[in-house]
Amino acid sequence: MNSQDLRAVTWTAATGDGAPSVSLIDQTALPQTLERLDVTTVDALIDAIVRLVVRGAPAIGAAGAYGVALAMAQGRREGWDRARLDAEIARVRATRPTAVNLMVCVDRVAARVDEGIAAVLAEADAVVREDLDANHAMGAHGADWLLKRVAPEGDRPLRVLTHCNTGALATAGWGTALGVIRELHARGRVEAVYADETRPLLQGARLTAWELVQEGIPHYVQADGAAAGTILRGEVDAAVVGADRIAANGDTANKVGTVAVALACAHAGIPFMVAAPTTTVDLGTASGADIPIELRGEDEVLEWSGVRTAPAASRGHNPAFDVTPGSLVTALVTERGVLEVAAGELPGTRLR
Ligand code: MRU
């Protein structure tokens, strides 16, 4: 399958006696198997988000949007009153704290609960459609900017580094940072992608590499710890990453390890680009210091494939994200165009 056609999150209407479901590509099973998990209850949806069956800020947003409809359908089956329904929707909204898309999408869709489930589903469908459109737009803006900045002299293909997975799997389709890379590839302008493996759950090695294989894009998987050296040796022309939340001053929360990539890019004097839809920009958050960072379970760093690797007495520290200062973000690409944040084009003044 061409991964451009992947839909990580869809809604399946009720059939016969079967309850309606939110249908998710099970991202824990990739790259070995491409299978879907259909969840019919709020508990099952929350469990899937926590276990990273569905992950990536826009994809979590889509799951939350359909989650509102799921809660309504479950509430109808189980006779919930309005207070219970609101509480269940609030639980979905709070499942992961860093990606603001989850909260934005749940709130947008939940505002239509009084109009009934059809209106809620129409709003969730719009969330997904708009994200897909945004990704294609930012892919074009990002590719234009990179080619002009990095290879103004001609048609040289680029060597691009990326971190985590920001492709079709992480979004409504196409991808954010990976969408920019796809667009460059479509224009014949990718020499190679360096895909950081992404600790602790290997979203890069398992998911980004899988999407790049589907597209036939040449790439190397490398350890996160290799990224700075690869950049400083001059083997990369630019880094392009996604985001989970961007504060008004341009500080950007993204998968843990991202800030090391940004620091290396600054030292090497190459662009560090963040690609994200405006739904990831949180103008209500002044700076990165105000972004809540998800702290995940210790076992994800103390174990490997369920087998304990660290000494029994060791404790784990497992922040899922870090914050890159806006001063290191050369370019922020949204569906509306490119902001040169490090040069002073701040989201808080340009995107209001
Ligand atoms: O923990 P994850 O896999 O949900 O983290 C995902 C990331 O950090 C992505 O870079 C970000 O959500 C952008 S996805 C388009």
Side-chain angles (χ1 to χ4, degrees):
M1 174 193 287
N2 188 324
S3 66
Q4 288 177 31
D5 302 325
L6 287 177
R7 294 292 173 260
V9 184
T10 57
W11 174 260
T12 306
T15 46
D17 292 343
S21 63
V22 180
S23 175
L24 306 166
I25 290 179
D26 185 349
Q27 299 189 35
T28 65
L30 284 167
Q32 280 77 20
T33 54
L34 177 57
E35 57 196 54
R36 298 194 80 92
L37 177 73
D38 292 335
V39 297
T40 57
T41 65
V42 167
D43 279 351
L45 179 64
I46 288 173
D47 178 63
I49 295 173
V50 168
R51 288 192 300 112
L52 309 187
V53 167
V54 59
R55 30 75 40 210
I60 300 171
Y66 287 120
V68 175
L70 192 78
M72 291 173 80
Q74 185 180 358
R76 196 181 288 168
R77 289 197 304 277
E78 298 182 7
W80 297 348
D81 62 13
R82 181 57 192 259
R84 172 79 189 274
L85 175 63
D86 289 346
E88 296 293 331
I89 292 171
R91 282 208 306 134
V92 172
R93 186 184 189 279
T95 308
R96 294 188 76 192
T98 305
V100 74
N101 305 60
L102 175 61
M103 296 126 214
V104 168
C105 293
V106 167
D107 290 347
R108 172 175 164 182
V109 171
R112 302 201 58 185
V113 162
D114 288 340
E115 297 169 61
I117 199 161
V120 163
L121 278 172
E123 198 67 35
D125 287 343
V127 163
V128 167
R129 214 172 36 246
E130 288 168 24
D131 187 57
L132 189 56
D133 290 347
N135 289 343
H136 283 284
M138 83 182 78
H141 293 313
D144 287 346
W145 188 93
L146 275 175
L147 291 172
K148 205 163 139 203
R149 170 64 73 98
V150 178
E153 74 286 354
D155 57 4
R156 174 169 77 84
L158 308 188
R159 302 155 308 162
V160 182
L161 184 143
T162 193
H163 192 80
C164 197
N165 172 266
T166 59
L169 291 167
T171 62
W174 187 249
T176 57
L178 207 57
V180 173
I181 291 170
R182 284 204 159 102
E183 178 66 27
L184 287 170
H185 176 67
R187 298 183 193 185
R189 302 297 294 276
V190 174
E191 181 178 318
V193 176
Y194 289 87
D196 290 351
E197 66 176 348
T198 312
R199 289 289 290 142
L201 282 181
L202 304 183
Q203 287 92 325
R206 294 187 301 106
L207 308 175
T208 300
W210 182 78
E211 290 200 49
L212 291 168
V213 167
Q214 309 303 307
E215 302 281 317
I217 300 178
H219 63 280
Y220 305 96
V221 174
Q222 66 178 0
D224 291 3
T230 306
I231 291 167
L232 296 185
R233 276 194 306 278
E235 293 170 24
V236 173
D237 294 304
V240 190
V241 304
D244 287 82
R245 192 187 297 222
I246 299 164
N249 71 347
D251 290 355
T252 297
N254 191 49
K255 178 53 57 191
V256 67
T258 301
V259 67
V261 172
L263 286 163
C265 287
H267 194 83
I270 64 170
F272 175 80
M273 173 182 277
V274 174
T278 47
T279 47
T280 306
V281 180
D282 180 10
L283 298 180
T285 295
S287 79
D290 306 311
I291 300 176
I293 300 295
E294 176 184 5
L295 208 53
R296 293 181 63 84
E298 295 181 68
D299 289 349
E300 286 177 352
V301 289
L302 296 174
E303 295 180 353
W304 185 257
S305 274
V307 177
R308 179 85 182 192
T309 48
S314 298
R315 297 289 314 275
H317 176 56
N318 190 16
F321 303 98
D322 59 29
V323 175
T324 297
S327 58
L328 298 179
V329 177
T330 323
L332 165 61
V333 189
T334 72
E335 69 276 20
R336 288 164 59 177
V338 178
L339 296 182
E340 298 191 0
V341 178
E345 293 183 347
L346 302 186
T349 46
R350 300 298 176 116
L351 293 177
R352 279 195 198 276

